[in-house]
Amino acid sequence: MKQGPRDDTAHWRALSQAHHLPPFSDRAQLHEQGPRIITRAEGVHLWDSEGNRILDGMAGLWCVALGYGREELVEAAARQMRELPYYNLFFQTAHPPALELAAAIAELTPAGLDHVFFTGSGSEANDTMLRMVRHYWALKGRPEKKVIISRVNAYHGSTVAGASLSGMRFMHEQGDLPIPGIVHIAQPYWFAEGGDMSPEDFGLWAADQLETKILELGVDNVAAFIAEPIQGAGGVIIPPDSYWPRVREILARHDILFVADEVICGFGRTGEWFGSDYYGLAPDMLTIAKGLTSGYIPMGGLVVRDHIVEVLSAGGDFNHGFTYSGHPVAAAVGLETLRILREEGIVERVRTQTAPYLQARLRELADHPLVGEVRGLGMLGAIELVEDRASRRRYPAERGVGMRCRKHCFEQGLVMRAVGDTMIIAPPLVLDRDGVDELVEKARRCLDLTLAELEG
Protein backbone atom coordinates (compact mmCIF):
# COMPACT_ATOMS: atom_id res chain seq x y z
CA MET A 1 0.00 0.00 0.00
CA LYS A 2 1.28 3.46 -0.90
CA GLN A 3 2.09 5.75 1.98
CA GLY A 4 -0.14 8.82 2.24
CA PRO A 5 1.34 12.23 1.45
CA ARG A 6 3.11 14.19 4.17
CA ASP A 7 3.94 17.86 4.48
CA ASP A 8 7.61 17.19 4.01
CA THR A 9 9.91 18.70 1.36
CA ALA A 10 12.02 15.57 1.01
CA HIS A 11 8.90 13.48 0.51
CA TRP A 12 7.59 15.69 -2.30
CA ARG A 13 10.98 15.80 -3.98
CA ALA A 14 11.12 12.02 -3.87
CA LEU A 15 7.71 11.86 -5.55
CA SER A 16 8.96 14.27 -8.20
CA GLN A 17 11.94 12.09 -8.95
CA ALA A 18 9.93 8.88 -8.96
CA HIS A 19 6.86 9.91 -10.93
CA HIS A 20 6.80 13.43 -12.38
CA LEU A 21 8.02 14.49 -15.81
CA PRO A 22 8.27 18.30 -15.62
CA PRO A 23 8.06 20.70 -18.58
CA PHE A 24 11.17 22.44 -19.94
CA SER A 25 13.50 20.89 -17.35
CA ASP A 26 16.85 19.13 -17.33
CA ARG A 27 15.88 15.99 -15.45
CA ALA A 28 19.43 15.17 -14.37
CA GLN A 29 19.88 18.65 -12.97
CA LEU A 30 16.49 18.52 -11.29
CA HIS A 31 17.41 15.20 -9.66
CA GLU A 32 20.57 16.75 -8.24
CA GLN A 33 18.87 19.83 -6.79
CA GLY A 34 15.23 18.83 -6.40
CA PRO A 35 12.34 21.15 -7.24
CA ARG A 36 11.23 23.99 -5.03
CA ILE A 37 7.84 22.93 -3.67
CA ILE A 38 5.32 25.79 -3.75
CA THR A 39 2.54 25.16 -1.25
CA ARG A 40 0.44 28.33 -1.07
CA ALA A 41 0.07 31.88 -2.38
CA GLU A 42 -1.63 35.14 -1.46
CA GLY A 43 -1.63 38.46 -3.29
CA VAL A 44 1.69 38.73 -5.13
CA HIS A 45 3.62 36.32 -2.89
CA LEU A 46 4.27 32.58 -2.84
CA TRP A 47 5.37 30.33 0.03
CA ASP A 48 7.37 27.15 -0.39
CA SER A 49 7.29 24.01 1.73
CA GLU A 50 10.17 25.29 3.85
CA GLY A 51 8.30 28.46 4.81
CA ASN A 52 10.14 30.88 2.52
CA ARG A 53 8.15 33.91 1.26
CA ILE A 54 8.77 34.74 -2.41
CA LEU A 55 7.69 37.72 -4.50
CA ASP A 56 6.30 36.36 -7.76
CA GLY A 57 7.90 38.66 -10.31
CA MET A 58 6.60 36.51 -13.19
CA ALA A 59 2.89 36.25 -12.28
CA GLY A 60 3.22 32.47 -12.46
CA LEU A 61 3.94 32.14 -16.18
CA TRP A 62 2.88 35.66 -17.21
CA CYS A 63 -0.71 34.81 -16.29
CA VAL A 64 -1.77 35.59 -12.69
CA ALA A 65 -2.94 39.11 -13.53
CA LEU A 66 -5.14 39.54 -10.46
CA GLY A 67 -2.74 37.98 -7.99
CA TYR A 68 -3.42 34.96 -5.81
CA GLY A 69 -6.32 34.36 -3.46
CA ARG A 70 -9.12 36.16 -5.32
CA GLU A 71 -12.14 34.51 -3.74
CA GLU A 72 -14.44 35.89 -6.46
CA LEU A 73 -12.76 33.60 -8.99
CA VAL A 74 -13.01 30.62 -6.65
CA GLU A 75 -16.72 31.30 -6.10
CA ALA A 76 -17.37 31.75 -9.82
CA ALA A 77 -15.85 28.33 -10.47
CA ALA A 78 -17.76 26.72 -7.59
CA ARG A 79 -21.12 28.16 -8.71
CA GLN A 80 -20.58 26.94 -12.25
CA MET A 81 -19.49 23.48 -11.09
CA ARG A 82 -22.71 23.12 -9.15
CA GLU A 83 -24.89 24.30 -12.04
CA LEU A 84 -23.17 22.83 -15.12
CA PRO A 85 -19.70 21.41 -14.45
CA TYR A 86 -19.13 20.38 -18.07
CA TYR A 87 -20.66 20.21 -21.47
CA ASN A 88 -19.15 20.43 -24.92
CA LEU A 89 -19.73 22.87 -27.76
CA PHE A 90 -19.90 20.20 -30.47
CA PHE A 91 -23.01 19.02 -32.38
CA GLN A 92 -24.89 22.33 -32.49
CA THR A 93 -24.95 22.83 -28.72
CA ALA A 94 -23.72 25.67 -26.55
CA HIS A 95 -23.97 26.93 -22.97
CA PRO A 96 -24.35 30.42 -21.47
CA PRO A 97 -20.87 30.89 -19.93
CA ALA A 98 -19.06 30.38 -23.24
CA LEU A 99 -21.50 32.55 -25.17
CA GLU A 100 -21.37 35.35 -22.61
CA LEU A 101 -17.59 35.22 -22.44
CA ALA A 102 -17.29 35.38 -26.24
CA ALA A 103 -19.44 38.52 -26.21
CA ALA A 104 -17.40 40.06 -23.36
CA ILE A 105 -14.14 39.41 -25.21
CA ALA A 106 -15.53 40.92 -28.42
CA GLU A 107 -16.34 44.12 -26.51
CA LEU A 108 -12.68 44.50 -25.51
CA THR A 109 -10.75 43.45 -28.61
CA PRO A 110 -9.93 45.86 -31.46
CA ALA A 111 -12.87 46.75 -33.70
CA GLY A 112 -13.99 44.05 -36.12
CA LEU A 113 -12.63 41.15 -34.06
CA ASP A 114 -16.03 39.86 -32.97
CA HIS A 115 -15.84 36.05 -33.01
CA VAL A 116 -14.09 33.70 -30.58
CA PHE A 117 -13.02 30.06 -30.99
CA PHE A 118 -12.20 28.71 -27.52
CA THR A 119 -9.26 26.45 -26.72
CA GLY A 120 -7.55 25.16 -23.61
CA SER A 121 -4.31 27.14 -23.96
CA GLY A 122 -2.33 29.58 -26.05
CA SER A 123 -0.56 26.70 -27.78
CA GLU A 124 -3.91 25.28 -28.87
CA ALA A 125 -5.01 28.75 -29.96
CA ASN A 126 -2.05 29.03 -32.29
CA ASP A 127 -2.63 25.50 -33.62
CA THR A 128 -6.21 26.54 -34.31
CA MET A 129 -4.98 29.65 -36.07
CA LEU A 130 -2.78 27.63 -38.43
CA ARG A 131 -5.65 25.34 -39.41
CA MET A 132 -8.14 28.17 -39.78
CA VAL A 133 -5.83 30.33 -41.88
CA ARG A 134 -5.18 27.53 -44.35
CA HIS A 135 -8.85 26.54 -44.45
CA TYR A 136 -9.82 30.17 -45.10
CA TRP A 137 -7.53 30.48 -48.10
CA ALA A 138 -8.68 27.11 -49.46
CA LEU A 139 -12.30 28.29 -49.26
CA LYS A 140 -11.25 31.43 -51.13
CA GLY A 141 -9.97 29.22 -53.96
CA ARG A 142 -6.33 29.86 -53.10
CA PRO A 143 -5.12 26.66 -51.43
CA GLU A 144 -1.53 27.42 -52.42
CA LYS A 145 -1.43 30.18 -49.78
CA LYS A 146 -0.13 27.98 -46.97
CA VAL A 147 3.12 29.45 -45.67
CA ILE A 148 3.05 31.23 -42.32
CA ILE A 149 5.89 33.62 -41.50
CA SER A 150 7.03 33.91 -37.90
CA ARG A 151 10.13 35.36 -36.24
CA VAL A 152 13.33 33.94 -34.82
CA ASN A 153 13.15 33.67 -31.03
CA ALA A 154 9.37 34.13 -31.02
CA TYR A 155 7.32 31.89 -28.77
CA HIS A 156 3.92 30.61 -29.88
CA GLY A 157 3.59 27.39 -27.87
CA SER A 158 5.12 23.94 -27.58
CA THR A 159 2.68 21.70 -29.41
CA VAL A 160 3.90 20.49 -32.81
CA ALA A 161 2.42 23.44 -34.67
CA GLY A 162 3.05 25.87 -31.80
CA ALA A 163 6.70 24.86 -31.49
CA SER A 164 7.08 25.11 -35.25
CA LEU A 165 5.65 28.62 -35.24
CA SER A 166 7.99 29.43 -32.35
CA GLY A 167 11.38 30.51 -33.60
CA MET A 168 13.50 28.79 -30.97
CA ARG A 169 16.22 26.50 -32.28
CA PHE A 170 16.49 24.44 -29.09
CA MET A 171 12.83 23.46 -29.53
CA HIS A 172 13.23 22.68 -33.24
CA GLU A 173 16.16 20.36 -32.53
CA GLN A 174 13.80 17.98 -30.73
CA GLY A 175 11.13 16.43 -32.92
CA ASP A 176 12.25 17.34 -36.45
CA LEU A 177 10.67 20.79 -36.42
CA PRO A 178 9.47 23.08 -37.83
CA ILE A 179 6.82 21.31 -39.89
CA PRO A 180 6.64 22.31 -43.57
CA GLY A 181 5.08 25.63 -44.47
CA ILE A 182 6.48 27.68 -41.56
CA VAL A 183 9.45 30.03 -41.98
CA HIS A 184 11.14 32.59 -39.73
CA ILE A 185 12.59 36.05 -40.18
CA ALA A 186 14.81 38.24 -37.97
CA GLN A 187 13.53 39.51 -34.64
CA PRO A 188 13.55 43.23 -33.75
CA TYR A 189 16.08 42.76 -30.91
CA TRP A 190 18.29 45.83 -31.14
CA PHE A 191 20.35 45.24 -27.98
CA ALA A 192 21.59 41.83 -29.10
CA GLU A 193 21.55 42.18 -32.87
CA GLY A 194 21.48 45.86 -33.80
CA GLY A 195 25.25 46.22 -34.17
CA ASP A 196 26.22 49.77 -35.08
CA MET A 197 22.74 50.70 -36.34
CA SER A 198 20.57 53.10 -34.41
CA PRO A 199 17.45 51.54 -32.89
CA GLU A 200 15.32 53.36 -35.49
CA ASP A 201 17.38 52.10 -38.44
CA PHE A 202 17.50 48.60 -37.02
CA GLY A 203 13.71 48.58 -36.53
CA LEU A 204 13.22 49.46 -40.20
CA TRP A 205 15.74 46.81 -41.25
CA ALA A 206 14.04 44.12 -39.15
CA ALA A 207 10.61 45.05 -40.53
CA ASP A 208 11.92 44.97 -44.09
CA GLN A 209 12.93 41.34 -43.58
CA LEU A 210 9.22 40.55 -43.73
CA GLU A 211 8.85 41.95 -47.24
CA THR A 212 12.08 40.32 -48.34
CA LYS A 213 10.77 36.93 -47.20
CA ILE A 214 7.33 37.48 -48.77
CA LEU A 215 8.91 38.26 -52.15
CA GLU A 216 11.34 35.34 -51.82
CA LEU A 217 8.50 32.88 -51.13
CA GLY A 218 6.08 34.47 -53.59
CA VAL A 219 3.11 36.51 -52.45
CA ASP A 220 0.73 33.86 -53.75
CA ASN A 221 2.21 31.29 -51.37
CA VAL A 222 2.15 33.28 -48.13
CA ALA A 223 -0.93 32.90 -45.93
CA ALA A 224 -0.14 34.91 -42.79
CA PHE A 225 2.41 36.66 -40.60
CA ILE A 226 2.24 35.91 -36.87
CA ALA A 227 3.95 38.02 -34.22
CA GLU A 228 3.75 38.95 -30.56
CA PRO A 229 3.43 42.73 -30.09
CA ILE A 230 6.25 42.29 -27.56
CA GLN A 231 8.21 39.03 -27.64
CA GLY A 232 7.78 37.64 -24.15
CA ALA A 233 9.59 34.35 -23.63
CA GLY A 234 12.25 35.48 -26.09
CA GLY A 235 13.40 38.03 -23.53
CA VAL A 236 10.82 40.84 -23.37
CA ILE A 237 11.93 42.18 -26.74
CA ILE A 238 10.34 45.57 -27.27
CA PRO A 239 10.66 46.55 -30.92
CA PRO A 240 12.06 49.98 -31.84
CA ASP A 241 9.39 52.59 -32.50
CA SER A 242 10.04 52.36 -36.25
CA TYR A 243 9.23 48.65 -36.45
CA TRP A 244 5.47 48.23 -36.27
CA PRO A 245 4.52 51.16 -38.58
CA ARG A 246 6.77 49.70 -41.29
CA VAL A 247 5.32 46.20 -40.77
CA ARG A 248 1.82 47.62 -41.19
CA GLU A 249 2.87 49.28 -44.46
CA ILE A 250 4.28 45.99 -45.76
CA LEU A 251 1.20 43.97 -44.83
CA ALA A 252 -1.05 46.57 -46.47
CA ARG A 253 0.78 46.06 -49.78
CA HIS A 254 0.16 42.31 -49.86
CA ASP A 255 -2.84 40.04 -49.50
CA ILE A 256 -1.57 38.39 -46.34
CA LEU A 257 -3.31 37.90 -42.99
CA PHE A 258 -1.79 39.31 -39.81
CA VAL A 259 -2.07 37.33 -36.56
CA ALA A 260 -1.23 39.05 -33.28
CA ASP A 261 -0.23 36.59 -30.58
CA GLU A 262 -1.62 38.33 -27.49
CA VAL A 263 -1.23 35.38 -25.12
CA ILE A 264 1.16 37.44 -22.97
CA CYS A 265 0.35 41.03 -23.94
CA GLY A 266 -3.43 40.66 -23.76
CA PHE A 267 -5.73 41.76 -20.94
CA GLY A 268 -3.83 44.74 -19.63
CA ARG A 269 -0.15 43.84 -19.43
CA THR A 270 0.93 46.76 -21.64
CA GLY A 271 -1.39 49.23 -19.91
CA GLU A 272 -3.90 48.82 -22.73
CA TRP A 273 -6.33 45.95 -23.06
CA PHE A 274 -4.18 44.45 -25.82
CA GLY A 275 -0.73 45.04 -27.20
CA SER A 276 -2.44 45.62 -30.54
CA ASP A 277 -4.15 48.66 -28.97
CA TYR A 278 -0.84 50.00 -27.68
CA TYR A 279 0.85 49.75 -31.09
CA GLY A 280 -2.18 50.61 -33.21
CA LEU A 281 -2.20 47.22 -34.94
CA ALA A 282 -5.21 45.85 -36.80
CA PRO A 283 -4.80 42.06 -36.76
CA ASP A 284 -7.04 39.69 -38.69
CA MET A 285 -6.75 37.16 -35.89
CA LEU A 286 -5.69 37.46 -32.27
CA THR A 287 -4.68 34.59 -29.99
CA ILE A 288 -5.39 34.83 -26.25
CA ALA A 289 -4.91 32.85 -23.01
CA LYS A 290 -3.07 33.46 -19.68
CA GLY A 291 -4.60 36.68 -18.31
CA LEU A 292 -8.04 35.71 -19.62
CA THR A 293 -8.63 33.66 -16.45
CA SER A 294 -5.78 35.15 -14.41
CA GLY A 295 -4.22 31.68 -14.66
CA TYR A 296 -6.71 30.20 -12.19
CA ILE A 297 -7.93 27.66 -14.73
CA PRO A 298 -6.70 26.78 -18.24
CA MET A 299 -8.31 28.60 -21.16
CA GLY A 300 -7.32 30.14 -24.47
CA GLY A 301 -8.92 31.29 -27.66
CA LEU A 302 -8.62 32.62 -31.17
CA VAL A 303 -10.44 35.89 -31.91
CA VAL A 304 -11.30 36.24 -35.57
CA ARG A 305 -12.15 39.23 -37.75
CA ASP A 306 -15.59 39.45 -39.36
CA HIS A 307 -14.49 39.09 -42.99
CA ILE A 308 -12.80 35.76 -42.24
CA VAL A 309 -15.87 34.43 -40.43
CA GLU A 310 -18.04 35.34 -43.42
CA VAL A 311 -15.92 33.09 -45.63
CA LEU A 312 -15.84 30.27 -43.06
CA SER A 313 -19.60 30.47 -42.57
CA ALA A 314 -20.18 29.79 -46.23
CA GLY A 315 -17.83 26.81 -46.24
CA GLY A 316 -19.62 24.18 -44.16
CA ASP A 317 -17.97 22.45 -41.19
CA PHE A 318 -14.63 23.60 -39.82
CA ASN A 319 -13.40 20.19 -38.72
CA HIS A 320 -11.50 21.25 -35.65
CA GLY A 321 -12.13 21.51 -31.91
CA PHE A 322 -11.29 20.24 -28.44
CA THR A 323 -13.15 18.37 -25.73
CA TYR A 324 -12.60 21.34 -23.43
CA SER A 325 -13.26 24.16 -25.92
CA GLY A 326 -15.18 26.80 -23.96
CA HIS A 327 -15.31 24.69 -20.80
CA PRO A 328 -18.14 26.21 -18.72
CA VAL A 329 -16.12 26.48 -15.51
CA ALA A 330 -13.21 28.14 -17.30
CA ALA A 331 -15.64 30.47 -19.07
CA ALA A 332 -17.24 31.44 -15.77
CA VAL A 333 -13.81 32.25 -14.31
CA GLY A 334 -12.95 34.21 -17.45
CA LEU A 335 -16.11 36.28 -17.14
CA GLU A 336 -15.37 37.06 -13.52
CA THR A 337 -11.76 37.95 -14.35
CA LEU A 338 -12.90 40.44 -17.00
CA ARG A 339 -15.47 41.88 -14.60
CA ILE A 340 -12.82 42.51 -11.96
CA LEU A 341 -10.39 44.02 -14.46
CA ARG A 342 -13.08 46.43 -15.65
CA GLU A 343 -14.88 47.31 -12.42
CA GLU A 344 -11.70 47.80 -10.40
CA GLY A 345 -10.12 49.85 -13.20
CA ILE A 346 -7.01 47.67 -13.11
CA VAL A 347 -5.93 48.22 -16.73
CA GLU A 348 -6.27 52.00 -16.35
CA ARG A 349 -4.36 51.89 -13.05
CA VAL A 350 -1.56 49.93 -14.73
CA ARG A 351 -1.37 52.54 -17.49
CA THR A 352 -1.48 55.65 -15.31
CA GLN A 353 0.08 54.59 -12.00
CA THR A 354 1.65 51.16 -11.53
CA ALA A 355 3.53 50.79 -14.81
CA PRO A 356 5.07 54.29 -14.77
CA TYR A 357 6.31 53.70 -11.23
CA LEU A 358 7.60 50.21 -12.04
CA GLN A 359 9.41 51.38 -15.16
CA ALA A 360 10.98 54.36 -13.38
CA ARG A 361 12.25 52.21 -10.52
CA LEU A 362 13.48 49.44 -12.82
CA ARG A 363 15.61 51.92 -14.73
CA GLU A 364 17.44 52.76 -11.52
CA LEU A 365 19.17 49.40 -12.03
CA ALA A 366 20.80 50.69 -15.24
CA ASP A 367 23.69 52.10 -13.18
CA HIS A 368 24.71 48.64 -11.98
CA PRO A 369 28.06 47.52 -13.45
CA LEU A 370 26.58 44.18 -14.51
CA VAL A 371 23.71 45.79 -16.45
CA GLY A 372 23.93 46.71 -20.13
CA GLU A 373 20.33 47.79 -20.65
CA VAL A 374 17.07 48.03 -18.76
CA ARG A 375 13.93 48.13 -20.87
CA GLY A 376 10.26 47.70 -20.21
CA LEU A 377 6.72 48.61 -21.09
CA GLY A 378 3.64 48.29 -18.94
CA MET A 379 4.10 45.40 -16.52
CA LEU A 380 6.96 43.87 -18.51
CA GLY A 381 10.66 44.39 -17.96
CA ALA A 382 14.09 43.09 -18.98
CA ILE A 383 17.58 43.55 -17.54
CA GLU A 384 20.48 42.66 -19.85
CA LEU A 385 23.52 41.25 -18.01
CA VAL A 386 26.84 42.04 -19.71
CA GLU A 387 30.58 41.93 -19.17
CA ASP A 388 31.11 45.24 -21.00
CA ARG A 389 28.35 47.84 -21.19
CA ALA A 390 29.85 50.07 -23.89
CA SER A 391 30.18 47.27 -26.45
CA ARG A 392 27.15 45.28 -25.18
CA ARG A 393 29.50 42.29 -24.90
CA ARG A 394 28.18 39.40 -22.83
CA TYR A 395 30.07 37.02 -20.61
CA PRO A 396 31.11 33.70 -22.19
CA ALA A 397 28.10 31.37 -22.31
CA GLU A 398 29.80 28.76 -20.15
CA ARG A 399 29.75 31.15 -17.19
CA GLY A 400 25.96 30.90 -17.09
CA VAL A 401 25.44 34.42 -15.77
CA GLY A 402 21.67 34.44 -16.12
CA MET A 403 21.27 31.15 -14.29
CA ARG A 404 23.59 32.34 -11.52
CA CYS A 405 21.42 35.42 -11.10
CA ARG A 406 18.24 33.36 -11.13
CA LYS A 407 19.66 31.14 -8.37
CA HIS A 408 20.37 34.18 -6.22
CA CYS A 409 16.85 35.46 -6.89
CA PHE A 410 15.32 32.24 -5.58
CA GLU A 411 17.51 32.39 -2.50
CA GLN A 412 16.58 36.04 -1.88
CA GLY A 413 12.83 35.50 -2.26
CA LEU A 414 12.22 36.74 -5.81
CA VAL A 415 11.01 34.97 -8.93
CA MET A 416 12.82 36.60 -11.84
CA ARG A 417 13.25 34.53 -14.99
CA ALA A 418 16.49 34.09 -16.93
CA VAL A 419 16.39 33.97 -20.74
CA GLY A 420 20.04 33.39 -21.48
CA ASP A 421 21.69 36.35 -19.77
CA THR A 422 18.56 38.46 -19.83
CA MET A 423 16.58 38.69 -16.59
CA ILE A 424 12.89 39.32 -17.17
CA ILE A 425 9.86 40.21 -15.08
CA ALA A 426 6.10 40.27 -15.62
CA PRO A 427 4.55 40.71 -12.17
CA PRO A 428 0.82 40.58 -11.41
CA LEU A 429 -1.06 43.65 -12.61
CA VAL A 430 -2.17 44.28 -9.02
CA LEU A 431 1.38 44.80 -7.76
CA ASP A 432 1.39 48.00 -5.65
CA ARG A 433 4.14 50.56 -4.98
CA ASP A 434 5.42 48.61 -1.99
CA GLY A 435 5.60 45.51 -4.18
CA VAL A 436 7.52 47.41 -6.85
CA ASP A 437 9.97 48.64 -4.22
CA GLU A 438 10.44 45.10 -2.90
CA LEU A 439 11.00 43.75 -6.41
CA VAL A 440 13.61 46.37 -7.36
CA GLU A 441 15.46 46.17 -4.04
CA LYS A 442 15.67 42.39 -4.24
CA ALA A 443 16.72 42.55 -7.90
CA ARG A 444 19.60 44.92 -7.03
CA ARG A 445 20.71 42.64 -4.20
CA CYS A 446 20.75 39.68 -6.60
CA LEU A 447 22.75 41.66 -9.17
CA ASP A 448 25.28 42.48 -6.45
CA LEU A 449 25.55 38.83 -5.42
CA THR A 450 25.92 37.70 -9.03
CA LEU A 451 28.67 40.21 -9.76
CA ALA A 452 30.52 39.27 -6.57
CA GLU A 453 30.36 35.62 -7.57
CA LEU A 454 31.66 36.36 -11.06
CA GLU A 455 34.55 38.39 -9.68
CA GLY A 456 35.32 36.00 -6.81
Side-chain angles (χ1 to χ4, degrees):
M1 179 181 294
K2 291 185 178 180
Q3 184 178 8
R6 303 172 312 200
D7 186 17
D8 177 79
T9 301
H11 174 69
W12 295 117
R13 286 177 173 168
L15 291 182
S16 173
Q17 177 61 22
H19 304 294
H20 184 223
L21 290 172
F24 284 96
S25 295
D26 182 325
R27 208 168 142 70
Q29 184 183 68
L30 188 66
H31 174 57
E32 179 182 337
Q33 300 175 353
R36 168 168 277 183
I37 309 299
I38 303 300
T39 55
R40 67 184 183 94
E42 183 68 28
V44 297
H45 290 93
L46 311 164
W47 281 263
D48 68 16
S49 57
E50 297 174 307
N52 296 303
R53 180 176 181 263
I54 308 154
L55 176 63
D56 186 2
M58 282 303 302
L61 272 177
W62 320 83
C63 54
V64 187
L66 299 178
Y68 300 93
R70 291 298 300 237
E71 285 298 320
E72 306 98 311
L73 301 185
V74 176
E75 289 302 316
R79 283 195 305 271
Q80 189 59 50
M81 282 188 171
R82 294 186 188 102
E83 184 171 319
L84 179 68
Y86 172 76
Y87 202 68
N88 66 77
L89 301 179
F90 288 50
F91 316 127
Q92 298 184 346
T93 61
H95 47 71
L99 300 177
E100 291 173 8
L101 181 58
I105 291 169
E107 288 180 10
L108 299 173
T109 48
L113 287 156
D114 294 326
H115 307 270
V116 185
F117 188 105
F118 286 112
T119 68
S121 67
S123 295
E124 289 181 5
N126 282 317
D127 279 34
T128 299
M129 176 279 299
L130 184 148
R131 292 202 57 195
M132 189 177 289
V133 162
R134 290 179 173 175
H135 182 51
Y136 165 80
W137 285 118
L139 289 174
K140 296 256 300 177
R142 305 186 68 183
E144 73 282 358
K145 287 178 77 69
K146 284 185 168 64
V147 179
I148 297 178
I149 299 174
S150 179
R151 299 184 296 193
V152 171
N153 205 31
Y155 187 81
H156 300 294
S158 63
T159 53
V160 170
S164 295
L165 292 165
S166 297
M168 297 183 168
R169 184 177 301 171
F170 68 92
M171 295 174 70
H172 294 170
E173 290 170 348
Q174 298 176 345
D176 197 22
L177 301 176
I179 58 176
I182 295 172
V183 299
H184 299 85
I185 59 172
Q187 60 183 332
Y189 189 4
W190 174 81
F191 182 84
E193 300 175 7
D196 295 330
M197 282 188 276
S198 68
E200 180 180 5
D201 288 344
F202 178 73
L204 294 173
W205 176 87
D208 286 342
Q209 303 314 297
L210 174 60
E211 187 151 48
T212 299
K213 183 60 69 174
I214 290 169
L215 296 177
E216 174 191 319
L217 295 167
V219 176
D220 291 340
N221 297 315
V222 179
F225 172 56
I226 183 171
E228 304 157 87
I230 295 169
Q231 285 169 247
V236 182
I237 297 165
I238 300 170
D241 291 342
S242 57
Y243 180 78
W244 279 117
R246 178 64 67 90
V247 167
R248 288 201 63 179
E249 292 174 12
I250 292 166
L251 290 171
R253 284 197 289 271
H254 304 289
D255 194 11
I256 293 168
L257 299 177
F258 172 47
V259 182
D261 184 332
E262 296 267 9
V263 170
I264 285 174
C265 291
F267 303 105
R269 188 148 293 279
T270 64
E272 302 290 344
W273 277 100
F274 293 92
S276 295
D277 296 321
Y278 182 87
Y279 286 110
L281 308 178
D284 297 287
M285 295 181 175
L286 187 150
T287 51
I288 55 175
K290 295 192 184 291
L292 173 59
T293 60
S294 195
Y296 278 49
I297 194 166
M299 191 173 217
L302 175 66
V303 192
V304 185
R305 192 165 287 279
D306 299 347
H307 75 90
I308 295 174
V309 173
E310 290 173 6
V311 173
L312 297 175
S313 297
D317 286 359
F318 176 46
N319 296 313
H320 178 75
F322 305 98
T323 300
Y324 302 114
S325 292
H327 192 288
V329 178
V333 173
L335 277 166
E336 186 65 9
T337 299
L338 298 186
R339 183 196 67 78
I340 293 170
L341 286 169
R342 283 185 292 199
E343 293 187 6
E344 295 187 7
I346 290 172
V347 178
E348 181 181 1
R349 187 163 71 243
V350 165
R351 180 174 64 252
T352 61
Q353 299 177 40
T354 316
Y357 186 67
L358 172 65
Q359 296 303 330
R361 292 246 37 212
L362 266 184
R363 279 159 178 75
E364 294 174 13
L365 300 173
D367 66 359
H368 195 280
L370 188 57
V371 174
E373 180 183 68
V374 177
R375 61 179 177 270
L377 193 159
M379 300 297 282
L380 292 161
I383 304 165
E384 296 281 5
L385 308 184
V386 296
E387 186 172 18
D388 181 76
R389 181 183 301 169
S391 64
R392 310 199 296 271
R393 185 182 73 247
R394 299 190 188 275
Y395 282 86
E398 59 268 20
R399 302 210 66 182
V401 176
M403 296 305 288
R404 290 174 188 253
C405 188
R406 189 186 77 165
K407 176 176 178 290
H408 288 300
C409 288
F410 279 158
E411 292 171 350
Q412 298 299 316
L414 172 64
V415 175
M416 188 160 61
R417 183 172 174 180
V419 178
D421 288 346
T422 307
M423 306 307 296
I424 61 175
I425 61 160
L429 304 188
V430 295
L431 189 75
D432 60 16
R433 290 172 72 94
D434 289 342
V436 172
D437 292 341
E438 180 186 350
L439 189 156
V440 174
E441 287 159 14
K442 286 183 173 179
R444 183 174 288 279
R445 190 184 314 150
C446 295
L447 292 171
D448 289 342
L449 290 167
T450 303
L451 183 60
E453 184 179 358
L454 291 168
E455 294 178 342

